[in-house]
Amino acid sequence: QVQLVESGGGLVQAGGSLRLSCASSGRTFSSYHMGWFRQAPGKEREFVAAIHWSGVTTYYADSVKGRFTISRDAAKNTVYLQMKSLNAEDTAVYYCAASSTLNRWPGIEAATYHYWGQGTQVTVSS
């Protein structure tokens, strides 16, 4: 089992930045690909970014490419999502997820992930 807890969400003005954190406990953190998804009101959950279990490779949705950066700290069992140049369309609940299906990379579908955090709200005011 893997437990994931997100933090770092909040209210930010358009053009601002936030860094989300996802702390993992349980089984070996480095055995999982990690991903961030988001869900805005009335919309389906969508892929944002993923990082390979090795930490070497990352993958981003086109909508956030160049603005968001995913990273992981194996020593802290934590994955981060650094977000900059935020706009109103980035407003959503952001979820951290872990996938043990290592032969599927990048995992851009929610069904690829086995463990999910509770989510953290990000609100961007325009």
Side-chain angles (χ1 to χ4, degrees):
Q1 278 284 3
V2 174
Q3 293 79 41
L4 304 173
V5 179
E6 301 98 334
S7 61
L11 176 64
V12 63
Q13 289 188 334
S17 299
L18 278 176
R19 188 178 80 158
L20 305 183
S21 299
C22 173
S24 171
S25 61
R27 296 185 63 183
T28 306
F29 177 69
S30 60
S31 299
Y32 296 87
H33 297 322
M34 300 297 294
W36 286 96
F37 287 75
R38 66 186 181 186
Q39 188 167 18
K43 295 187 177 181
E44 293 186 354
R45 190 170 298 190
E46 65 172 357
F47 170 79
V48 175
I51 187 165
H52 194 268
W53 67 265
S54 66
V56 173
T57 307
T58 57
Y59 190 82
Y60 298 93
D62 288 343
S63 58
V64 307
K65 199 173 296 183
R67 300 189 298 122
F68 290 13
T69 302
I70 187 172
S71 61
R72 64 193 300 164
D73 185 332
K76 296 182 178 180
N77 283 354
T78 300
V79 63
Y80 302 98
L81 186 68
Q82 178 68 51
M83 307 184 293
K84 64 180 182 180
S85 302
L86 287 162
N87 56 61
E89 287 69 41
D90 296 316
T91 295
V93 177
Y94 283 71
Y95 297 91
C96 171
S99 170
S100 59
T101 309
L102 301 185
N103 61 350
R104 290 193 65 180
W105 173 260
I108 64 173
E109 296 180 353
T112 303
Y113 295 82
H114 307 87
Y115 304 102
W116 293 83
Q118 83 288 350
T120 185
Q121 176 71 47
V122 172
T123 302
V124 183
S125 63
S126 57

